[in-house]
């Protein structure tokens, strides 16, 4: 028998994502738990309106969205524990400037450089519709066809319901071939 647990958001876990944007010409970083896919070339991030990084996203309209693996998790988590309003986070990570102008952390195995296509507000949040401009992947996470391989890349997951991180990695079967 199933129990009604109320209006619980049950789409977690989601990938741990580190967002980078320039604020006052310095990179700033934040962890974003509310992420989604809205097409083959667009994603959405949803951030509390008060986040310092939002200011840079509005100003430059360019940002990076990096996926975090277990090796990068501890340093990325730190960026989510400190506010850019109170502490300069520009030196948290070594970074490069992506082709579109966003800060790209060197230690992240996978980073999407995105431009802002649209912004809409919901109660307490700014929701950024992002167009993927470039994707940078460490060669170690690519397969022989230069595709991102979850056999090689194990992104960390975050569960909002318990504030816990999880690992990925178990292959369950091929999509559309489970009944073969």
């Amino acid at each position: 028998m199933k129990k009604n647990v109320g209006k619980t958001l049950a789409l977690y876990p989601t990938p741990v994502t580190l967002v980078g944007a320039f604020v006052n010409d310095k990179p700033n970083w934040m962890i974003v738990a509310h992420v989604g896919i809205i097409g083959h070339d667009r994603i959405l991030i949803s951030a509390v309106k008060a986040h310092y990084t939002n200011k840079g996203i509005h100003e430059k309209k360019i940002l990076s969205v990096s996926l975090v693996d277990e090796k990068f998790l501890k340093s990325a988590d730190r960026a989510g524990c400190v506010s850019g309003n109170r502490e300069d986070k520009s030196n948290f990570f070594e970074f490069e400037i992506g082709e579109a102008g966003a800060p790209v952390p060197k230690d992240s195995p996978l980073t999407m450089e995105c431009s802002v296509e649209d912004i809409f507000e919901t109660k307490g949040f700014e929701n950024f519709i992002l167009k993927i401009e470039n994707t940078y992947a460490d060669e170690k996470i690519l397969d022989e066809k230069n595709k991102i391989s979850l056999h090689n890349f194990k992104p960390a997951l975050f569960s909002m319901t318990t504030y816990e991180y999880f690992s990925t990695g178990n292959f369950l079967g091929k999509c559309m071939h489970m009944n073969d």
Side-chain angles (χ1 to χ4, degrees):
M1 187 164 142
K2 292 184 182 178
K3 181 178 181 179
N4 182 344
V5 293
K7 296 180 182 182
T8 302
L9 177 56
L11 290 179
Y12 286 101
T14 58
V16 178
T17 56
L18 176 72
V19 171
F22 283 103
V23 182
N24 300 321
D25 297 320
K26 290 178 159 185
N28 195 73
W29 313 95
M30 71 176 171
I31 293 286
V32 174
H34 303 128
V35 297
I37 299 167
I38 57 171
H40 290 277
D41 63 349
R42 285 172 177 67
I43 60 174
L44 173 135
I45 63 166
S46 181
V48 171
K49 287 181 189 179
H51 279 304
Y52 181 74
T53 309
N54 293 16
K55 179 180 173 186
I57 296 171
H58 280 278
E59 287 174 4
K60 304 283 187 185
K61 303 281 194 261
I62 196 81
L63 63 146
S64 62
V65 179
S66 299
L67 294 183
V68 174
D69 62 4
E70 188 175 344
K71 183 177 168 186
F72 189 45
L73 182 60
K74 187 173 181 179
S75 57
D77 179 70
R78 181 172 169 246
C81 297
V82 177
S83 171
N85 286 308
R86 292 187 297 273
E87 184 175 330
D88 180 0
K89 297 194 280 184
S90 63
N91 62 354
F92 273 27
F93 308 103
E94 284 188 54
F95 69 95
E96 301 169 325
I97 306 296
E99 292 178 28
V104 175
K106 288 184 178 182
D107 288 339
S108 175
L110 183 63
T111 299
M112 293 169 284
E113 190 177 28
C114 302
S115 60
V116 176
E117 189 166 276
D118 199 4
I119 303 168
F120 66 95
E121 292 186 16
T122 54
K123 186 178 180 181
F125 287 85
E126 290 184 308
N127 304 281
F128 300 94
I129 306 271
L130 307 174
K131 181 178 180 195
I132 301 167
E133 300 294 344
N134 301 292
T135 301
Y136 306 100
D138 188 310
E139 289 182 4
K140 295 177 205 158
I141 70 167
L142 301 176
D143 66 14
E144 63 281 346
K145 296 178 184 175
N146 282 328
K147 301 285 184 189
I148 299 161
S149 168
L150 291 180
H151 295 279
N152 303 332
F153 177 46
K154 311 274 189 263
L157 301 175
F158 172 72
S159 176
M160 179 68 78
T161 54
T162 59
Y163 267 65
E164 294 175 314
Y165 294 118
F166 294 89
S167 63
T168 57
N170 293 330
F171 172 75
L172 300 176
K174 295 286 259 177
C175 178
M176 300 179 78
H177 294 281
M178 294 295 287
N179 294 303
D180 293 350

